[in-house]
Amino acid sequence: MIKIIGINGSARKGKNTAKMLQAALGEAKKLGCETELLELSDYRIHFCTGCNRCLKEHRCSQHEQDDMHKLAEKLLEAEGIIIGSPVYLDNVTGQMKVFMDRCRWLKMVKPLLCGKAGGALAHAALRNGGQELTNLAIVTFLMAHGLAVVGPIEEKGAMFPLGGVGSMFESQKGGKVTWKRSVEADEIGIETSKALGRNVARLAIRLSGK
Ligand SMILES: Cc1cc2nc3c(=O)[nH]c(=O)nc-3n(C[C@H](O)[C@H](O)[C@H](O)COP(=O)(O)O)c2cc1C
């Protein structure tokens, strides 16, 4: 069976970014895929030490020191990878960046994730709070590993580039800003995530030939 995984870079399990990933994975499931949500906060991930061992062999010198090898196994067995991050200062979270750095061994000697399907999504407080830049950082990471990346654009419907985009912003009237309680109240956040999930699943099915 085709497997699609979601990876959440938030320190807050089950919150906005996780809900967007769940919405995306739910659509992949409807298309017959097996799905799994992985929360980076469940894993111990040390900083990359810059030892460059991964230039010579596809292995990380930290392999036995923390949980990163467990995540690498999940990445290797999946046909589709959706990465989600909250926006922290217009970019991915520190946790997500450390995860990305530690994935370097998966591409240096041989691009082990090449040919899989991928997608990005981001959640921020503000309406234009850095979701695009964050999605771009994720898309760049996925492309650097040779994944075929899709966004939430479908033949009919919403026209959003790059990835799923969620926000807490509700309105600003007379200088007073109001906020949504959660991404569940953000139609754009949920719909772009769902469309992304469908597109990643469809592409993964096509690419795998299964
Ligand atoms: C350190 C930090 C930096 C943040 N930077 C931004 C930002 O640049 N733009 C923005 O709109 N929201 C920013 N936020 C708000 C988060 O993106 C927002 O709360 C998001 O919903 C968190 O996702 P989560 O619920 O999945 O943890 C920041 C929050 C924190 C804690």
Side-chain angles (χ1 to χ4, degrees):
M1 194 187 262
I2 302 290
K3 183 156 186 193
I4 311 291
I5 59 170
I7 300 179
N8 183 14
S10 175
R12 305 185 329 145
K13 272 172 76 170
K15 298 293 185 182
N16 297 298
T17 313
K19 284 174 185 161
M20 290 174 74
L21 284 166
Q22 278 158 356
L25 295 177
E27 295 300 294
K29 206 169 193 171
K30 283 185 203 160
L31 291 169
C33 300
E34 186 189 341
T35 63
E36 188 175 2
L37 175 61
L38 305 163
E39 301 267 7
L40 289 190
S41 61
D42 283 337
Y43 296 82
R44 285 177 309 125
I45 310 175
H46 297 165
F47 290 122
C48 169
T49 61
C51 73
N52 281 329
R53 181 170 167 181
C54 58
L55 299 183
K56 299 189 194 86
E57 45 182 313
H58 41 245
R59 194 175 165 77
C60 176
S61 64
Q62 298 281 302
H63 227 75
E64 267 74 52
Q65 314 303 318
D66 63 11
D67 296 331
M68 194 55 208
H69 63 280
K70 295 180 193 166
L71 286 165
E73 275 167 33
K74 300 282 185 187
L75 290 167
L76 288 166
E77 73 181 22
E79 278 87 10
I81 301 167
I82 303 174
I83 293 186
S85 180
V87 176
Y88 279 11
L89 282 304
D90 291 302
N91 216 310
V92 295
T93 60
Q95 294 93 316
M96 178 54 75
K97 184 60 171 65
V98 174
F99 163 81
M100 288 175 168
D101 292 346
R102 288 290 307 284
C103 284
R104 190 188 187 212
W105 71 273
L106 290 164
K107 80 186 195 76
M108 294 313 288
V109 172
K110 195 176 168 202
L112 299 172
L113 304 180
C114 193
K116 296 177 188 287
L121 61 83
H123 192 272
L126 304 173
R127 197 182 68 165
N128 302 92
Q131 292 93 335
E132 292 296 330
L133 266 180
T134 301
N135 277 332
L136 185 59
I138 297 170
V139 165
T140 304
F141 166 80
L142 294 169
M143 290 183 76
H145 280 268
L147 276 83
V149 181
V150 279
I153 296 171
E154 292 179 306
E155 259 178 65
K156 279 190 210 165
M159 293 184 287
F160 296 99
L162 288 181
V165 284
S167 129
M168 304 300 287
F169 183 82
E170 176 73 57
S171 71
Q172 182 169 353
K173 284 179 192 133
K176 190 181 180 320
V177 179
T178 55
W179 305 97
K180 296 180 195 312
R181 288 179 64 85
S182 139
V183 71
E184 282 147 319
D186 175 18
E187 197 182 343
I188 292 172
I190 295 299
E191 291 308 318
T192 52
S193 302
K194 285 184 172 177
L196 180 75
R198 288 192 291 273
N199 280 344
V200 171
R202 287 182 191 124
L203 183 61
I205 292 165
R206 221 181 293 161
L207 289 174
S208 75
K210 285 186 193 167

mmCIF file of all heavy atoms in Angstrom, residues 163-202:
data_model
loop_
_atom_site.group_PDB
_atom_site.id
_atom_site.type_symbol
_atom_site.label_atom_id
_atom_site.label_comp_id
_atom_site.label_asym_id
_atom_site.label_seq_id
_atom_site.Cartn_x
_atom_site.Cartn_y
_atom_site.Cartn_z
ATOM 1 N N GLY A 163 2.028 25.771 -1.001
ATOM 2 C CA GLY A 163 1.604 24.791 0.009
ATOM 3 C C GLY A 163 0.341 25.209 0.734
ATOM 4 O O GLY A 163 -0.302 26.192 0.397
ATOM 5 N N GLY A 164 0.007 24.433 1.751
ATOM 6 C CA GLY A 164 -1.134 24.756 2.596
ATOM 7 C C GLY A 164 -0.805 25.984 3.440
ATOM 8 O O GLY A 164 0.302 26.129 3.923
ATOM 9 N N VAL A 165 -1.792 26.874 3.589
ATOM 10 C CA VAL A 165 -1.558 28.110 4.344
ATOM 11 C C VAL A 165 -2.673 28.340 5.370
ATOM 12 O O VAL A 165 -3.824 28.529 5.018
ATOM 13 C CB VAL A 165 -1.445 29.356 3.429
ATOM 14 C CG1 VAL A 165 -0.108 29.409 2.741
ATOM 15 C CG2 VAL A 165 -2.559 29.411 2.391
ATOM 16 N N GLY A 166 -2.294 28.328 6.641
ATOM 17 C CA GLY A 166 -3.265 28.576 7.695
ATOM 18 C C GLY A 166 -2.887 29.789 8.519
ATOM 19 O O GLY A 166 -1.716 30.158 8.601
ATOM 20 N N SER A 167 -3.905 30.406 9.128
ATOM 21 C CA SER A 167 -3.646 31.585 9.960
ATOM 22 C C SER A 167 -4.695 31.733 11.050
ATOM 23 O O SER A 167 -5.828 31.251 10.911
ATOM 24 C CB SER A 167 -3.595 32.821 9.056
ATOM 25 O OG SER A 167 -4.421 33.840 9.509
ATOM 26 N N MET A 168 -4.300 32.383 12.158
ATOM 27 C CA MET A 168 -5.225 32.635 13.268
ATOM 28 C C MET A 168 -6.046 33.902 13.035
ATOM 29 O O MET A 168 -7.013 34.156 13.734
ATOM 30 C CB MET A 168 -4.458 32.838 14.594
ATOM 31 C CG MET A 168 -3.533 31.732 14.992
ATOM 32 S SD MET A 168 -4.360 30.169 15.204
ATOM 33 C CE MET A 168 -5.227 30.428 16.731
ATOM 34 N N PHE A 169 -5.616 34.717 12.066
ATOM 35 C CA PHE A 169 -6.207 36.039 11.863
ATOM 36 C C PHE A 169 -7.689 35.938 11.491
ATOM 37 O O PHE A 169 -8.063 35.191 10.604
ATOM 38 C CB PHE A 169 -5.438 36.770 10.752
ATOM 39 C CG PHE A 169 -5.918 38.163 10.507
ATOM 40 C CD1 PHE A 169 -5.494 39.206 11.307
ATOM 41 C CD2 PHE A 169 -6.807 38.425 9.473
ATOM 42 C CE1 PHE A 169 -5.943 40.504 11.076
ATOM 43 C CE2 PHE A 169 -7.262 39.714 9.240
ATOM 44 C CZ PHE A 169 -6.820 40.754 10.046
ATOM 45 N N GLU A 170 -8.529 36.731 12.185
ATOM 46 C CA GLU A 170 -9.961 36.737 11.876
ATOM 47 C C GLU A 170 -10.332 38.037 11.160
ATOM 48 O O GLU A 170 -10.822 38.031 10.059
ATOM 49 C CB GLU A 170 -10.765 36.585 13.184
ATOM 50 C CG GLU A 170 -12.260 36.669 13.037
ATOM 51 C CD GLU A 170 -12.842 35.424 12.393
ATOM 52 O OE1 GLU A 170 -12.611 34.335 12.938
ATOM 53 O OE2 GLU A 170 -13.509 35.549 11.357
ATOM 54 N N SER A 171 -10.064 39.182 11.834
ATOM 55 C CA SER A 171 -10.411 40.468 11.218
ATOM 56 C C SER A 171 -9.695 41.606 11.948
ATOM 57 O O SER A 171 -9.160 41.409 13.043
ATOM 58 C CB SER A 171 -11.920 40.705 11.288
ATOM 59 O OG SER A 171 -12.290 40.958 12.630
ATOM 60 N N GLN A 172 -9.724 42.753 11.310
ATOM 61 C CA GLN A 172 -9.186 43.952 11.952
ATOM 62 C C GLN A 172 -10.147 45.093 11.674
ATOM 63 O O GLN A 172 -10.257 45.555 10.537
ATOM 64 C CB GLN A 172 -7.791 44.283 11.409
ATOM 65 C CG GLN A 172 -7.202 45.505 12.101
ATOM 66 C CD GLN A 172 -5.730 45.693 11.790
ATOM 67 O OE1 GLN A 172 -5.103 44.845 11.163
ATOM 68 N NE2 GLN A 172 -5.165 46.794 12.224
ATOM 69 N N LYS A 173 -10.896 45.483 12.731
ATOM 70 C CA LYS A 173 -11.886 46.545 12.549
ATOM 71 C C LYS A 173 -11.610 47.637 13.559
ATOM 72 O O LYS A 173 -11.519 47.350 14.762
ATOM 73 C CB LYS A 173 -13.299 45.999 12.734
ATOM 74 C CG LYS A 173 -13.768 45.204 11.525
ATOM 75 C CD LYS A 173 -15.170 44.639 11.715
ATOM 76 C CE LYS A 173 -15.446 43.615 10.617
ATOM 77 N NZ LYS A 173 -16.009 42.381 11.118
ATOM 78 N N GLY A 174 -11.467 48.863 13.071
ATOM 79 C CA GLY A 174 -11.197 49.998 13.971
ATOM 80 C C GLY A 174 -9.947 49.779 14.811
ATOM 81 O O GLY A 174 -9.902 50.155 15.980
ATOM 82 N N GLY A 175 -8.952 49.145 14.216
ATOM 83 C CA GLY A 175 -7.683 48.932 14.918
ATOM 84 C C GLY A 175 -7.696 47.744 15.866
ATOM 85 O O GLY A 175 -6.683 47.397 16.459
ATOM 86 N N LYS A 176 -8.879 47.094 16.008
ATOM 87 C CA LYS A 176 -8.958 45.947 16.923
ATOM 88 C C LYS A 176 -8.858 44.633 16.130
ATOM 89 O O LYS A 176 -9.665 44.367 15.243
ATOM 90 C CB LYS A 176 -10.286 45.997 17.696
ATOM 91 C CG LYS A 176 -10.338 44.987 18.833
ATOM 92 C CD LYS A 176 -11.681 45.053 19.538
ATOM 93 C CE LYS A 176 -11.823 44.081 20.673
ATOM 94 N NZ LYS A 176 -11.288 42.770 20.504
ATOM 95 N N VAL A 177 -7.854 43.845 16.461
ATOM 96 C CA VAL A 177 -7.646 42.570 15.766
ATOM 97 C C VAL A 177 -8.356 41.457 16.535
ATOM 98 O O VAL A 177 -8.279 41.388 17.766
ATOM 99 C CB VAL A 177 -6.137 42.243 15.657
ATOM 100 C CG1 VAL A 177 -5.922 40.894 14.962
ATOM 101 C CG2 VAL A 177 -5.403 43.344 14.897
ATOM 102 N N THR A 178 -9.064 40.623 15.800
ATOM 103 C CA THR A 178 -9.647 39.429 16.435
ATOM 104 C C THR A 178 -9.034 38.188 15.787
ATOM 105 O O THR A 178 -8.609 38.210 14.632
ATOM 106 C CB THR A 178 -11.184 39.376 16.299
ATOM 107 O OG1 THR A 178 -11.521 39.477 14.918
ATOM 108 C CG2 THR A 178 -11.849 40.497 17.072
ATOM 109 N N TRP A 179 -9.003 37.099 16.583
ATOM 110 C CA TRP A 179 -8.305 35.882 16.166
ATOM 111 C C TRP A 179 -9.236 34.688 16.146
ATOM 112 O O TRP A 179 -10.153 34.594 16.953
ATOM 113 C CB TRP A 179 -7.145 35.593 17.140
ATOM 114 C CG TRP A 179 -6.201 36.738 17.302
ATOM 115 C CD1 TRP A 179 -6.207 37.675 18.287
ATOM 116 C CD2 TRP A 179 -5.121 37.086 16.422
ATOM 117 N NE1 TRP A 179 -5.194 38.588 18.089
ATOM 118 C CE2 TRP A 179 -4.507 38.248 16.955
ATOM 119 C CE3 TRP A 179 -4.610 36.533 15.250
ATOM 120 C CZ2 TRP A 179 -3.413 38.861 16.354
ATOM 121 C CZ3 TRP A 179 -3.515 37.147 14.648
ATOM 122 C CH2 TRP A 179 -2.930 38.299 15.191
ATOM 123 N N LYS A 180 -8.970 33.761 15.253
ATOM 124 C CA LYS A 180 -9.685 32.480 15.272
ATOM 125 C C LYS A 180 -9.143 31.652 16.439
ATOM 126 O O LYS A 180 -7.987 31.790 16.812
ATOM 127 C CB LYS A 180 -9.429 31.720 13.959
ATOM 128 C CG LYS A 180 -9.968 32.408 12.723
ATOM 129 C CD LYS A 180 -9.665 31.571 11.493
ATOM 130 C CE LYS A 180 -9.841 32.321 10.193
ATOM 131 N NZ LYS A 180 -11.054 33.075 10.000
ATOM 132 N N ARG A 181 -9.982 30.798 16.977
ATOM 133 C CA ARG A 181 -9.540 29.966 18.108
ATOM 134 C C ARG A 181 -8.564 28.881 17.665
ATOM 135 O O ARG A 181 -7.662 28.501 18.386
ATOM 136 C CB ARG A 181 -10.750 29.308 18.789
ATOM 137 C CG ARG A 181 -11.591 30.303 19.579
ATOM 138 C CD ARG A 181 -12.786 29.610 20.206
ATOM 139 N NE ARG A 181 -12.388 28.620 21.194
ATOM 140 C CZ ARG A 181 -12.127 28.918 22.461
ATOM 141 N NH1 ARG A 181 -12.224 30.166 22.882
ATOM 142 N NH2 ARG A 181 -11.783 27.976 23.314
ATOM 143 N N SER A 182 -8.785 28.403 16.447
ATOM 144 C CA SER A 182 -7.954 27.298 15.958
ATOM 145 C C SER A 182 -8.071 27.245 14.436
ATOM 146 O O SER A 182 -8.992 27.830 13.850
ATOM 147 C CB SER A 182 -8.444 25.993 16.583
ATOM 148 O OG SER A 182 -8.453 24.938 15.669
ATOM 149 N N VAL A 183 -7.176 26.519 13.810
ATOM 150 C CA VAL A 183 -7.201 26.419 12.343
ATOM 151 C C VAL A 183 -8.479 25.736 11.847
ATOM 152 O O VAL A 183 -8.862 25.901 10.684
ATOM 153 C CB VAL A 183 -5.942 25.683 11.817
ATOM 154 C CG1 VAL A 183 -5.987 24.201 12.149
ATOM 155 C CG2 VAL A 183 -5.759 25.888 10.317
ATOM 156 N N GLU A 184 -9.162 25.002 12.723
ATOM 157 C CA GLU A 184 -10.418 24.373 12.297
ATOM 158 C C GLU A 184 -11.445 25.417 11.838
ATOM 159 O O GLU A 184 -12.328 25.114 11.040
ATOM 160 C CB GLU A 184 -11.017 23.550 13.449
ATOM 161 C CG GLU A 184 -10.310 22.215 13.610
ATOM 162 C CD GLU A 184 -10.265 21.752 15.042
ATOM 163 O OE1 GLU A 184 -10.023 22.598 15.927
ATOM 164 O OE2 GLU A 184 -10.441 20.547 15.257
ATOM 165 N N ALA A 185 -11.312 26.653 12.345
ATOM 166 C CA ALA A 185 -12.225 27.725 11.940
ATOM 167 C C ALA A 185 -11.702 28.489 10.717
ATOM 168 O O ALA A 185 -12.304 29.464 10.283
ATOM 169 C CB ALA A 185 -12.414 28.698 13.108
ATOM 170 N N ASP A 186 -10.591 28.035 10.180
ATOM 171 C CA ASP A 186 -9.950 28.725 9.042
ATOM 172 C C ASP A 186 -10.163 27.884 7.783
ATOM 173 O O ASP A 186 -9.437 26.916 7.531
ATOM 174 C CB ASP A 186 -8.451 28.909 9.340
ATOM 175 C CG ASP A 186 -7.703 29.508 8.170
ATOM 176 O OD1 ASP A 186 -8.350 30.094 7.274
ATOM 177 O OD2 ASP A 186 -6.464 29.383 8.156
ATOM 178 N N GLU A 187 -11.165 28.268 7.007
ATOM 179 C CA GLU A 187 -11.529 27.464 5.835
ATOM 180 C C GLU A 187 -10.360 27.332 4.858
ATOM 181 O O GLU A 187 -10.118 26.250 4.306
ATOM 182 C CB GLU A 187 -12.736 28.108 5.139
ATOM 183 C CG GLU A 187 -13.419 27.147 4.199
ATOM 184 C CD GLU A 187 -14.590 27.784 3.469
ATOM 185 O OE1 GLU A 187 -15.076 28.846 3.909
ATOM 186 O OE2 GLU A 187 -14.997 27.202 2.449
ATOM 187 N N ILE A 188 -9.630 28.443 4.680
ATOM 188 C CA ILE A 188 -8.504 28.395 3.729
ATOM 189 C C ILE A 188 -7.433 27.428 4.240
ATOM 190 O O ILE A 188 -6.879 26.620 3.482
ATOM 191 C CB ILE A 188 -7.929 29.808 3.499
ATOM 192 C CG1 ILE A 188 -8.951 30.664 2.740
ATOM 193 C CG2 ILE A 188 -6.612 29.750 2.727
ATOM 194 C CD1 ILE A 188 -8.579 32.133 2.618
ATOM 195 N N GLY A 189 -7.159 27.502 5.536
ATOM 196 C CA GLY A 189 -6.150 26.615 6.125
ATOM 197 C C GLY A 189 -6.496 25.144 5.935
ATOM 198 O O GLY A 189 -5.650 24.328 5.550
ATOM 199 N N ILE A 190 -7.759 24.806 6.193
ATOM 200 C CA ILE A 190 -8.170 23.400 6.085
ATOM 201 C C ILE A 190 -8.294 22.975 4.623
ATOM 202 O O ILE A 190 -7.816 21.900 4.233
ATOM 203 C CB ILE A 190 -9.518 23.161 6.833
ATOM 204 C CG1 ILE A 190 -9.326 23.392 8.351
ATOM 205 C CG2 ILE A 190 -10.071 21.775 6.558
ATOM 206 C CD1 ILE A 190 -8.311 22.469 9.031
ATOM 207 N N GLU A 191 -8.895 23.832 3.795
ATOM 208 C CA GLU A 191 -9.104 23.440 2.388
ATOM 209 C C GLU A 191 -7.799 23.319 1.622
ATOM 210 O O GLU A 191 -7.635 22.419 0.792
ATOM 211 C CB GLU A 191 -10.065 24.420 1.685
ATOM 212 C CG GLU A 191 -11.500 24.329 2.185
ATOM 213 C CD GLU A 191 -12.067 22.902 2.164
ATOM 214 O OE1 GLU A 191 -11.840 22.167 1.194
ATOM 215 O OE2 GLU A 191 -12.744 22.514 3.145
ATOM 216 N N THR A 192 -6.835 24.236 1.883
ATOM 217 C CA THR A 192 -5.547 24.113 1.176
ATOM 218 C C THR A 192 -4.808 22.865 1.649
ATOM 219 O O THR A 192 -4.122 22.202 0.865
ATOM 220 C CB THR A 192 -4.651 25.361 1.356
ATOM 221 O OG1 THR A 192 -4.538 25.661 2.756
ATOM 222 C CG2 THR A 192 -5.214 26.574 0.636
ATOM 223 N N SER A 193 -4.957 22.525 2.925
ATOM 224 C CA SER A 193 -4.304 21.314 3.448
ATOM 225 C C SER A 193 -4.908 20.064 2.815
ATOM 226 O O SER A 193 -4.194 19.134 2.431
ATOM 227 C CB SER A 193 -4.449 21.241 4.970
ATOM 228 O OG SER A 193 -3.891 22.381 5.572
ATOM 229 N N LYS A 194 -6.231 20.059 2.715
ATOM 230 C CA LYS A 194 -6.902 18.898 2.110
ATOM 231 C C LYS A 194 -6.491 18.723 0.644
ATOM 232 O O LYS A 194 -6.197 17.608 0.200
ATOM 233 C CB LYS A 194 -8.426 19.054 2.199
ATOM 234 C CG LYS A 194 -8.989 18.811 3.590
ATOM 235 C CD LYS A 194 -10.509 18.891 3.536
ATOM 236 C CE LYS A 194 -11.126 18.464 4.854
ATOM 237 N NZ LYS A 194 -12.604 18.597 4.829
ATOM 238 N N ALA A 195 -6.490 19.844 -0.087
ATOM 239 C CA ALA A 195 -6.117 19.767 -1.509
ATOM 240 C C ALA A 195 -4.670 19.300 -1.647
ATOM 241 O O ALA A 195 -4.341 18.490 -2.530
ATOM 242 C CB ALA A 195 -6.318 21.127 -2.180
ATOM 243 N N LEU A 196 -3.810 19.784 -0.752
ATOM 244 C CA LEU A 196 -2.406 19.351 -0.769
ATOM 245 C C LEU A 196 -2.308 17.838 -0.533
ATOM 246 O O LEU A 196 -1.578 17.129 -1.240
ATOM 247 C CB LEU A 196 -1.610 20.101 0.308
ATOM 248 C CG LEU A 196 -0.134 19.731 0.376
ATOM 249 C CD1 LEU A 196 0.632 20.356 -0.780
ATOM 250 C CD2 LEU A 196 0.471 20.142 1.703
ATOM 251 N N GLY A 197 -3.057 17.353 0.446
ATOM 252 C CA GLY A 197 -3.045 15.923 0.751
ATOM 253 C C GLY A 197 -3.491 15.087 -0.442
ATOM 254 O O GLY A 197 -2.894 14.048 -0.748
ATOM 255 N N ARG A 198 -4.537 15.549 -1.122
ATOM 256 C CA ARG A 198 -5.016 14.812 -2.310
ATOM 257 C C ARG A 198 -3.946 14.804 -3.399
ATOM 258 O O ARG A 198 -3.661 13.763 -4.002
ATOM 259 C CB ARG A 198 -6.308 15.460 -2.855
ATOM 260 C CG ARG A 198 -7.527 15.245 -1.996
ATOM 261 C CD ARG A 198 -8.807 15.651 -2.725
ATOM 262 N NE ARG A 198 -8.939 17.085 -2.941
ATOM 263 C CZ ARG A 198 -9.483 17.947 -2.066
ATOM 264 N NH1 ARG A 198 -9.934 17.516 -0.911
ATOM 265 N NH2 ARG A 198 -9.584 19.236 -2.352
ATOM 266 N N ASN A 199 -3.332 15.964 -3.626
ATOM 267 C CA ASN A 199 -2.339 16.056 -4.705
ATOM 268 C C ASN A 199 -1.096 15.221 -4.411
ATOM 269 O O ASN A 199 -0.552 14.572 -5.302
ATOM 270 C CB ASN A 199 -1.946 17.525 -4.938
ATOM 271 C CG ASN A 199 -2.981 18.263 -5.770
ATOM 272 O OD1 ASN A 199 -3.820 17.641 -6.403
ATOM 273 N ND2 ASN A 199 -2.904 19.586 -5.770
ATOM 274 N N VAL A 200 -0.628 15.234 -3.165
ATOM 275 C CA VAL A 200 0.558 14.430 -2.815
ATOM 276 C C VAL A 200 0.215 12.946 -2.977
ATOM 277 O O VAL A 200 1.000 12.173 -3.538
ATOM 278 C CB VAL A 200 1.051 14.742 -1.381
ATOM 279 C CG1 VAL A 200 2.139 13.742 -0.963
ATOM 280 C CG2 VAL A 200 1.601 16.161 -1.297
ATOM 281 N N ALA A 201 -0.978 12.548 -2.523
ATOM 282 C CA ALA A 201 -1.374 11.143 -2.642
ATOM 283 C C ALA A 201 -1.486 10.720 -4.107
ATOM 284 O O ALA A 201 -0.959 9.677 -4.503
ATOM 285 C CB ALA A 201 -2.703 10.919 -1.919
ATOM 286 N N ARG A 202 -2.150 11.554 -4.921
ATOM 287 C CA ARG A 202 -2.308 11.213 -6.345
ATOM 288 C C ARG A 202 -0.943 11.064 -7.018
ATOM 289 O O ARG A 202 -0.703 10.129 -7.782
ATOM 290 C CB ARG A 202 -3.089 12.322 -7.072
ATOM 291 C CG ARG A 202 -4.562 12.362 -6.743
ATOM 292 C CD ARG A 202 -5.229 13.471 -7.576
ATOM 293 N NE ARG A 202 -6.574 13.724 -7.113
ATOM 294 C CZ ARG A 202 -7.019 14.920 -6.715
ATOM 295 N NH1 ARG A 202 -6.219 15.973 -6.718
ATOM 296 N NH2 ARG A 202 -8.270 15.067 -6.312
#
